[in-house]
Short mmCIF file of all heavy atoms in Angstrom, two decimals:
data_model
loop_
_atom_site.label_atom_id
_atom_site.label_comp_id
_atom_site.label_asym_id
_atom_site.label_seq_id
_atom_site.Cartn_x
_atom_site.Cartn_y
_atom_site.Cartn_z
N PHE J 13 -14.09 29.10 13.42
CA PHE J 13 -15.13 29.17 12.40
C PHE J 13 -16.48 29.07 13.11
O PHE J 13 -16.86 28.01 13.58
CB PHE J 13 -15.00 28.04 11.39
CG PHE J 13 -13.73 28.09 10.59
CD1 PHE J 13 -12.60 27.43 11.02
CD2 PHE J 13 -13.65 28.84 9.42
CE1 PHE J 13 -11.42 27.47 10.31
CE2 PHE J 13 -12.49 28.90 8.71
CZ PHE J 13 -11.37 28.21 9.15
N GLY J 14 -17.13 30.15 13.19
CA GLY J 14 -18.41 30.17 13.88
C GLY J 14 -19.52 29.64 13.02
O GLY J 14 -19.39 29.48 11.82
N PRO J 15 -20.67 29.31 13.61
CA PRO J 15 -21.79 28.79 12.86
C PRO J 15 -22.34 29.83 11.89
O PRO J 15 -22.40 31.02 12.18
CB PRO J 15 -22.81 28.45 13.95
CG PRO J 15 -22.44 29.31 15.11
CD PRO J 15 -20.96 29.47 15.05
N SER J 16 -22.74 29.35 10.74
CA SER J 16 -23.30 30.26 9.74
C SER J 16 -24.81 30.33 9.88
O SER J 16 -25.46 29.38 10.25
CB SER J 16 -22.94 29.75 8.34
OG SER J 16 -23.66 30.45 7.38
N THR J 17 -25.34 31.46 9.58
CA THR J 17 -26.80 31.61 9.61
C THR J 17 -27.34 31.89 8.23
O THR J 17 -28.50 32.23 8.08
CB THR J 17 -27.19 32.76 10.55
OG1 THR J 17 -26.53 33.96 10.12
CG2 THR J 17 -26.76 32.45 11.99
N SER J 18 -26.52 31.73 7.22
CA SER J 18 -26.97 32.05 5.85
C SER J 18 -26.58 30.94 4.91
O SER J 18 -25.73 31.07 4.08
CB SER J 18 -26.33 33.37 5.38
OG SER J 18 -24.93 33.28 5.44
N ARG J 19 -27.21 29.76 5.06
CA ARG J 19 -26.99 28.65 4.14
C ARG J 19 -28.18 28.57 3.19
O ARG J 19 -29.30 28.80 3.61
CB ARG J 19 -26.86 27.32 4.89
CG ARG J 19 -25.61 27.21 5.73
CD ARG J 19 -24.42 26.91 4.84
NE ARG J 19 -23.30 26.38 5.60
CZ ARG J 19 -22.29 27.09 6.05
NH1 ARG J 19 -22.25 28.37 5.81
NH2 ARG J 19 -21.31 26.53 6.72
N PRO J 20 -28.06 28.20 1.94
CA PRO J 20 -26.79 27.93 1.30
C PRO J 20 -26.03 29.20 0.95
O PRO J 20 -26.63 30.22 0.72
CB PRO J 20 -27.18 27.20 0.02
CG PRO J 20 -28.53 27.77 -0.30
CD PRO J 20 -29.20 28.00 1.03
N ARG J 21 -24.69 29.09 0.93
CA ARG J 21 -23.88 30.23 0.57
C ARG J 21 -23.71 30.28 -0.94
O ARG J 21 -23.51 29.28 -1.59
CB ARG J 21 -22.51 30.13 1.23
CG ARG J 21 -22.59 30.28 2.74
CD ARG J 21 -21.22 30.32 3.33
NE ARG J 21 -21.31 30.53 4.77
CZ ARG J 21 -20.27 30.48 5.57
NH1 ARG J 21 -19.08 30.24 5.10
NH2 ARG J 21 -20.42 30.68 6.86
N ARG J 50 -33.66 17.82 -1.95
CA ARG J 50 -34.12 16.54 -1.43
C ARG J 50 -34.18 16.64 0.08
O ARG J 50 -33.34 17.25 0.70
CB ARG J 50 -33.17 15.40 -1.82
CG ARG J 50 -33.09 15.19 -3.30
CD ARG J 50 -32.01 14.18 -3.62
NE ARG J 50 -32.37 12.89 -3.07
CZ ARG J 50 -31.49 11.92 -2.86
NH1 ARG J 50 -30.23 12.10 -3.13
NH2 ARG J 50 -31.87 10.76 -2.37
N VAL J 62 -32.88 24.41 16.13
CA VAL J 62 -32.33 23.65 15.02
C VAL J 62 -32.23 24.54 13.79
O VAL J 62 -33.21 25.11 13.35
CB VAL J 62 -33.22 22.43 14.70
CG1 VAL J 62 -32.64 21.67 13.52
CG2 VAL J 62 -33.32 21.54 15.91
N GLU J 63 -31.01 24.67 13.27
CA GLU J 63 -30.80 25.42 12.05
C GLU J 63 -30.66 24.44 10.89
O GLU J 63 -30.11 23.37 11.03
CB GLU J 63 -29.53 26.26 12.15
CG GLU J 63 -29.60 27.36 13.18
CD GLU J 63 -28.33 28.16 13.21
OE1 GLU J 63 -27.44 27.89 12.39
OE2 GLU J 63 -28.22 29.06 14.06
N ILE J 64 -31.15 24.81 9.73
CA ILE J 64 -31.04 23.97 8.55
C ILE J 64 -29.99 24.57 7.63
O ILE J 64 -30.15 25.68 7.14
CB ILE J 64 -32.39 23.84 7.81
CG1 ILE J 64 -33.45 23.29 8.76
CG2 ILE J 64 -32.23 22.95 6.59
CD1 ILE J 64 -33.15 21.91 9.28
N GLU J 65 -28.90 23.83 7.45
CA GLU J 65 -27.86 24.25 6.53
C GLU J 65 -27.99 23.46 5.25
O GLU J 65 -28.49 22.34 5.24
CB GLU J 65 -26.48 24.02 7.16
CG GLU J 65 -26.27 24.82 8.43
CD GLU J 65 -24.86 24.67 8.95
OE1 GLU J 65 -24.11 23.86 8.39
OE2 GLU J 65 -24.51 25.39 9.90
N LYS J 66 -27.53 24.03 4.15
CA LYS J 66 -27.60 23.36 2.86
C LYS J 66 -26.25 22.82 2.46
O LYS J 66 -25.23 23.47 2.62
CB LYS J 66 -28.09 24.34 1.78
CG LYS J 66 -29.48 24.91 2.05
CD LYS J 66 -30.56 23.84 2.01
CE LYS J 66 -31.94 24.47 2.24
NZ LYS J 66 -33.00 23.49 2.24
N VAL J 67 -26.26 21.61 1.98
CA VAL J 67 -25.04 20.98 1.48
C VAL J 67 -25.29 20.63 0.01
O VAL J 67 -26.32 20.05 -0.32
CB VAL J 67 -24.71 19.69 2.26
CG1 VAL J 67 -23.48 19.03 1.69
CG2 VAL J 67 -24.49 20.03 3.72
N TYR J 68 -24.35 20.98 -0.86
CA TYR J 68 -24.48 20.68 -2.27
C TYR J 68 -23.51 19.55 -2.63
O TYR J 68 -22.33 19.62 -2.33
CB TYR J 68 -24.17 21.91 -3.12
CG TYR J 68 -25.20 23.00 -2.93
CD1 TYR J 68 -25.03 24.00 -1.98
CD2 TYR J 68 -26.37 22.99 -3.68
CE1 TYR J 68 -25.98 24.99 -1.79
CE2 TYR J 68 -27.33 23.98 -3.50
CZ TYR J 68 -27.13 24.97 -2.56
OH TYR J 68 -28.07 25.93 -2.38
N GLU J 77 -28.98 19.16 -3.72
CA GLU J 77 -29.06 19.99 -2.51
C GLU J 77 -29.64 19.17 -1.39
O GLU J 77 -30.63 18.48 -1.56
CB GLU J 77 -29.95 21.20 -2.79
CG GLU J 77 -30.12 22.11 -1.58
CD GLU J 77 -31.10 23.23 -1.88
OE1 GLU J 77 -31.05 23.80 -2.97
OE2 GLU J 77 -31.91 23.51 -1.00
N LYS J 78 -29.01 19.23 -0.26
CA LYS J 78 -29.45 18.42 0.87
C LYS J 78 -29.50 19.25 2.13
O LYS J 78 -28.62 20.06 2.38
CB LYS J 78 -28.49 17.25 1.06
CG LYS J 78 -28.97 16.23 2.08
CD LYS J 78 -28.07 15.03 2.03
CE LYS J 78 -28.59 13.97 2.98
NZ LYS J 78 -27.75 12.79 2.99
N SER J 79 -30.52 19.05 2.92
CA SER J 79 -30.64 19.80 4.17
C SER J 79 -29.82 19.13 5.25
O SER J 79 -29.89 17.93 5.44
CB SER J 79 -32.11 19.84 4.61
OG SER J 79 -32.87 20.57 3.67
N LEU J 80 -29.06 19.93 5.95
CA LEU J 80 -28.22 19.45 7.05
C LEU J 80 -28.71 20.13 8.32
O LEU J 80 -28.54 21.32 8.50
CB LEU J 80 -26.76 19.79 6.79
CG LEU J 80 -25.76 19.54 7.91
CD1 LEU J 80 -25.73 18.07 8.26
CD2 LEU J 80 -24.38 20.02 7.52
N ALA J 81 -29.35 19.34 9.16
CA ALA J 81 -29.90 19.90 10.40
C ALA J 81 -28.81 20.03 11.43
O ALA J 81 -28.10 19.09 11.72
CB ALA J 81 -31.01 19.00 10.92
N VAL J 82 -28.66 21.21 11.97
CA VAL J 82 -27.62 21.48 12.97
C VAL J 82 -28.29 21.99 14.23
O VAL J 82 -28.96 23.02 14.20
CB VAL J 82 -26.59 22.50 12.45
CG1 VAL J 82 -25.54 22.75 13.51
CG2 VAL J 82 -25.96 22.02 11.16
N GLU J 83 -28.13 21.25 15.30
CA GLU J 83 -28.74 21.64 16.56
C GLU J 83 -27.87 22.66 17.29
O GLU J 83 -26.68 22.45 17.47
CB GLU J 83 -28.92 20.41 17.46
CG GLU J 83 -29.88 19.38 16.87
CD GLU J 83 -29.92 18.11 17.71
OE1 GLU J 83 -29.14 18.04 18.68
OE2 GLU J 83 -30.71 17.22 17.39
N ARG J 84 -28.44 23.73 17.65
CA ARG J 84 -27.77 24.72 18.49
C ARG J 84 -28.48 24.70 19.84
O ARG J 84 -29.61 25.18 19.96
CB ARG J 84 -27.84 26.12 17.89
CG ARG J 84 -27.48 26.18 16.40
CD ARG J 84 -26.02 25.83 16.19
NE ARG J 84 -25.69 25.98 14.78
CZ ARG J 84 -24.61 25.49 14.22
NH1 ARG J 84 -23.75 24.78 14.92
NH2 ARG J 84 -24.37 25.69 12.93
N TYR J 128 -14.69 24.06 2.95
CA TYR J 128 -15.93 24.00 2.16
C TYR J 128 -16.84 25.10 2.69
O TYR J 128 -17.19 25.12 3.86
CB TYR J 128 -16.58 22.62 2.32
CG TYR J 128 -17.97 22.51 1.76
CD1 TYR J 128 -18.21 22.64 0.40
CD2 TYR J 128 -19.05 22.26 2.61
CE1 TYR J 128 -19.49 22.54 -0.10
CE2 TYR J 128 -20.33 22.16 2.13
CZ TYR J 128 -20.55 22.29 0.77
OH TYR J 128 -21.82 22.19 0.26
N CYS J 129 -17.16 26.03 1.82
CA CYS J 129 -17.94 27.21 2.23
C CYS J 129 -17.29 27.92 3.42
O CYS J 129 -17.93 28.23 4.43
CB CYS J 129 -19.38 26.82 2.56
SG CYS J 129 -20.32 26.21 1.14
N THR J 131 -15.41 26.84 5.65
CA THR J 131 -15.36 26.05 6.87
C THR J 131 -14.44 24.86 6.67
O THR J 131 -14.55 24.16 5.66
CB THR J 131 -16.78 25.55 7.24
OG1 THR J 131 -17.65 26.67 7.39
CG2 THR J 131 -16.74 24.76 8.54
N VAL J 133 -13.19 21.20 6.64
CA VAL J 133 -13.92 19.93 6.65
C VAL J 133 -13.00 18.72 6.58
O VAL J 133 -13.47 17.59 6.56
CB VAL J 133 -14.93 19.86 5.48
CG1 VAL J 133 -16.05 20.86 5.66
CG2 VAL J 133 -14.22 20.06 4.14
N GLU J 170 -13.85 21.95 16.02
CA GLU J 170 -14.86 22.27 15.02
C GLU J 170 -14.63 21.54 13.70
O GLU J 170 -15.58 21.07 13.07
CB GLU J 170 -14.89 23.78 14.78
CG GLU J 170 -16.15 24.27 14.06
CD GLU J 170 -17.40 24.09 14.92
OE1 GLU J 170 -17.27 24.00 16.15
OE2 GLU J 170 -18.50 24.03 14.34
N LYS J 173 -15.95 17.99 13.95
CA LYS J 173 -17.41 17.96 13.92
C LYS J 173 -17.91 18.20 12.49
O LYS J 173 -18.83 17.51 12.03
CB LYS J 173 -17.97 19.04 14.86
CG LYS J 173 -19.49 19.03 14.97
CD LYS J 173 -19.95 20.04 16.00
CE LYS J 173 -21.47 19.99 16.17
NZ LYS J 173 -21.92 20.95 17.21
N ASN J 174 -17.30 19.16 11.81
CA ASN J 174 -17.70 19.41 10.42
C ASN J 174 -17.47 18.18 9.55
O ASN J 174 -18.32 17.82 8.71
CB ASN J 174 -16.89 20.59 9.85
CG ASN J 174 -17.20 21.90 10.52
OD1 ASN J 174 -18.27 22.07 11.12
ND2 ASN J 174 -16.27 22.84 10.47
N LEU J 177 -20.13 15.46 10.21
CA LEU J 177 -21.46 15.80 9.69
C LEU J 177 -21.51 15.79 8.17
O LEU J 177 -22.48 15.30 7.57
CB LEU J 177 -21.91 17.16 10.23
CG LEU J 177 -22.20 17.20 11.74
CD1 LEU J 177 -22.53 18.62 12.18
CD2 LEU J 177 -23.36 16.26 12.09
N HIS J 178 -20.49 16.31 7.53
CA HIS J 178 -20.52 16.37 6.07
C HIS J 178 -20.34 15.00 5.44
O HIS J 178 -21.00 14.69 4.44
CB HIS J 178 -19.45 17.34 5.56
CG HIS J 178 -19.82 18.78 5.73
ND1 HIS J 178 -20.90 19.36 5.09
CD2 HIS J 178 -19.27 19.77 6.47
CE1 HIS J 178 -20.99 20.63 5.43
NE2 HIS J 178 -20.02 20.91 6.27
N GLN J 181 -23.62 13.25 5.57
CA GLN J 181 -24.57 13.65 4.53
C GLN J 181 -24.27 12.99 3.19
O GLN J 181 -25.16 12.84 2.35
CB GLN J 181 -24.55 15.18 4.38
CG GLN J 181 -24.98 15.94 5.62
CD GLN J 181 -26.36 15.55 6.09
OE1 GLN J 181 -27.30 15.53 5.31
NE2 GLN J 181 -26.50 15.21 7.36
N ARG J 259 -27.81 13.31 18.22
CA ARG J 259 -28.63 13.91 17.17
C ARG J 259 -29.34 12.85 16.36
O ARG J 259 -28.82 11.75 16.12
CB ARG J 259 -27.76 14.77 16.25
CG ARG J 259 -27.28 16.05 16.88
CD ARG J 259 -26.33 16.79 15.97
NE ARG J 259 -26.73 16.78 14.57
CZ ARG J 259 -26.43 17.73 13.70
NH1 ARG J 259 -25.74 18.77 14.10
NH2 ARG J 259 -26.80 17.64 12.45
#
Side-chain angles (χ1 to χ4, degrees):
F13 296 91
S16 169
T17 57
S18 57
R19 292 282 199 264
R21 292 186 177 174
R50 297 173 64 200
V62 179
E63 294 181 3
I64 303 298
E65 299 185 353
K66 299 295 182 181
V67 178
Y68 293 92
E77 179 184 318
K78 188 171 184 181
S79 295
L80 172 61
V82 180
E83 296 174 356
R84 312 294 184 195
Y128 170 65
C129 294
T131 302
V133 292
E170 197 66 22
K173 184 175 183 179
N174 294 337
L177 292 175
H178 284 297
Q181 297 303 310
R259 288 175 41 151

